[in-house]
Amino acid sequence: MSTNTKESNGAQIPSSYLQYHKIISQYIEDSISTAQLAKKHGLDISEKVESQIGYDLPDRIAKIHEIDISNRLRTLLPKLGKELTALKISEEIVLGKYGGTTIEEKLNNAVRVGLSVVTEGVTVAPLQGIYDVKIKTNANRTQYLSVSFAGPIRSAGGTEAAVTMLIADHVRKVIGLDKYIANSFDDEISRYVEELRIYEREVGNFQFKVSDKDVIHCIGSLPVEIDGVDTDPVEVIGHRNLQRVATNRVRGGALRVMNDGLIGRSRKLLKIVETLKLEGWDWLKNLEGAIQTPEDDTVSHRMTEVITGRPVLSMQKKIGGFRLRYGRSCNTGFSTIGIHPTIPILLNYAIAVGTQIKIDAP
């Protein structure tokens, strides 16, 4: 193998790697050209190749949302970082610098693009996790912002999903909307408490356990409404047919943002709020956050979460039970872990490339 290298961002890249990258890039371009020729025959639903190539984060986000913001993101990201860039670009979008005919369309684009920046454009959350962004009315006839979530918001992760609410609150202030006032028409706060407990009992557990007190405080303090579409065929019993809630079924996406994001990661979210110098989120200090119960650490409790047929490699917190090879190499890529190459063989290929592993630590 050639030892010639080329420097890129301070890293030495072997010339063989550059040649390999060039070959792959050329192959992709040829494949797209061939696909485009086939599309022109008009036998498919659309006459263009749906898959697009994004060469960096700004390019990826711009193509996902079909908004020409790539150059602006390339300017902002190195200077401000992800969170501040998300706020800045969302602000510019909602002010109409990148098109949009109605204010709700601009709000939709602003919140989705902001989440894309935070999640680095690698999850479906901005497109499918956010169902809609609307302007609604409180009982006192003031207008407020409502973000409706769907099930795929889980792909964003708890912290990133919660940051969506920070972005939504920021653009709300930019265009001069009032705060969301819970219980304007019905007992919406109690609906969330009931809905959360029914979901945990009938559908499944969330990552964290939170108290009713925190749910009440969270929903009562939010400046932007958390809404959502129904995700499971399970209905609430007591708080039905509410004026501002479109369904009697549980809204898994909305519950996940509240439970695993705003409450479960309230401490981490508070640090982000302080870093970004956002106002109106001091109430996060009063949340207890995730509750640890005695049964959380028991083996039996963990075993109940194992899906039938999935291999258990080691019992919880057993030293030496199963150890990962930490660090990064050329074949681990983004958000992945590496194990010794003989492990799949020893385990009769219970683990293969692409297997999802639930680990205790770190």
Side-chain angles (χ1 to χ4, degrees):
M1 184 175 72
S2 173
T3 57
N4 295 329
T5 60
K6 180 179 179 180
E7 190 167 318
S8 176
N9 295 327
Q12 296 293 324
I13 302 176
S15 59
S16 59
Y17 283 21
L18 296 173
Q19 182 64 23
Y20 179 58
H21 180 269
K22 183 179 179 181
I23 292 171
I24 291 178
S25 299
Q26 186 61 52
Y27 179 77
I28 291 173
E29 291 176 7
D30 292 344
S31 298
I32 291 177
S33 298
T34 303
Q36 190 60 58
L37 289 173
K39 285 276 191 178
K40 287 182 179 179
H41 290 287
L43 300 177
D44 207 349
I45 296 174
S46 68
E47 293 187 358
K48 69 174 184 177
V49 178
E50 287 85 355
S51 300
Q52 300 185 63
I53 306 300
Y55 292 96
D56 58 3
L57 173 58
D59 195 26
R60 191 159 62 236
I61 293 174
K63 288 179 177 177
I64 287 173
H65 299 282
E66 298 182 347
I67 303 174
D68 187 16
I69 53 176
S70 56
N71 289 332
R72 181 58 174 156
L73 287 174
R74 289 188 185 99
T75 302
L76 293 175
L77 281 166
K79 296 179 181 178
L80 305 180
K82 287 192 301 184
E83 285 80 9
L84 272 173
T85 296
L87 292 182
K88 184 63 177 176
I89 197 67
S90 298
E91 178 181 325
E92 293 178 358
I93 290 172
V94 82
L95 290 175
K97 293 185 178 181
Y98 301 97
T101 54
T102 65
I103 188 62
E104 285 194 341
E105 182 184 351
K106 295 173 186 176
L107 285 166
N108 242 301
N109 289 336
V111 176
R112 292 177 193 273
V113 169
L115 180 56
S116 286
V117 173
V118 173
T119 58
E120 299 185 350
V122 295
T123 74
V124 300
L127 296 179
Q128 299 178 17
I130 297 175
Y131 181 75
D132 202 1
V133 180
K134 290 184 177 180
I135 296 176
K136 294 184 179 180
T137 306
N138 289 307
N140 61 3
R141 297 188 178 182
T142 56
Q143 291 187 314
Y144 68 92
L145 189 62
S146 173
V147 182
S148 180
F149 294 97
I153 192 64
R154 73 171 63 212
S155 64
T159 305
E160 289 77 9
V163 170
T164 305
M165 299 302 292
L166 301 182
I167 296 169
D169 184 44
H170 181 67
V171 296
R172 172 193 71 82
K173 294 174 183 175
V174 170
I175 62 171
L177 290 175
D178 285 285
K179 292 183 178 181
Y180 161 68
I181 302 174
N183 290 3
S184 286
F185 299 96
D186 305 287
D187 191 359
E188 296 160 341
I189 294 178
S190 296
R191 160 66 187 259
Y192 269 97
V193 175
E194 180 191 2
E195 195 171 346
L196 177 63
R197 301 311 171 203
I198 288 178
Y199 189 98
E200 289 176 327
R201 187 169 63 249
E202 302 291 338
V203 182
N205 294 323
F206 290 104
Q207 187 172 357
F208 302 111
K209 287 184 174 64
V210 302
S211 67
D212 290 354
K213 178 183 176 182
D214 274 359
V215 174
I216 293 169
H217 185 62
C218 176
I219 300 301
S221 304
L222 275 173
V224 176
E225 181 189 21
I226 296 181
D227 196 7
V229 293
D230 58 282
T231 55
D232 300 274
V234 178
E235 296 191 357
V236 295
I237 300 171
H239 301 83
R240 300 170 61 85
N241 304 320
L242 305 190
Q243 184 169 331
R244 293 195 291 188
V245 181
T247 179
N248 289 323
R249 290 184 172 183
V250 293
R251 300 164 291 170
L255 294 175
R256 191 170 299 278
V257 173
M258 177 191 70
N259 190 96
D260 290 348
L262 293 168
I263 301 176
R265 290 183 172 84
S266 57
R267 297 290 176 267
K268 187 175 181 181
L269 191 63
L270 187 59
K271 291 180 181 178
I272 295 174
V273 168
E274 292 170 350
T275 301
L276 301 179
K277 299 178 181 179
L278 300 176
E279 297 180 355
W281 291 86
D282 291 341
W283 54 270
L284 289 170
K285 297 177 182 177
N286 301 322
L287 297 178
E288 296 176 7
I291 300 173
Q292 291 292 332
T293 60
E295 66 174 11
D296 283 345
D297 291 329
T298 63
V299 173
S300 60
H301 177 71
R302 276 301 184 97
M303 290 299 290
T304 59
E305 298 179 350
V306 178
I307 299 173
T308 304
R310 298 283 176 87
V312 178
L313 304 178
S314 171
M315 301 312 291
Q316 182 186 10
K317 296 182 180 178
K318 184 174 179 61
I319 297 176
F322 182 71
R323 298 178 64 187
L324 298 174
R325 185 177 68 186
Y326 297 113
R328 283 281 171 261
S329 63
C330 297
N331 64 343
T332 49
F334 179 71
S335 294
T336 60
I337 56 177
I339 60 175
H340 195 280
T342 60
I343 293 296
I345 301 171
L346 294 173
L347 296 177
N348 196 22
Y349 296 99
I351 296 180
V353 174
T355 302
Q356 187 176 21
I357 301 177
K358 185 172 183 178
I359 58 177
D360 283 327

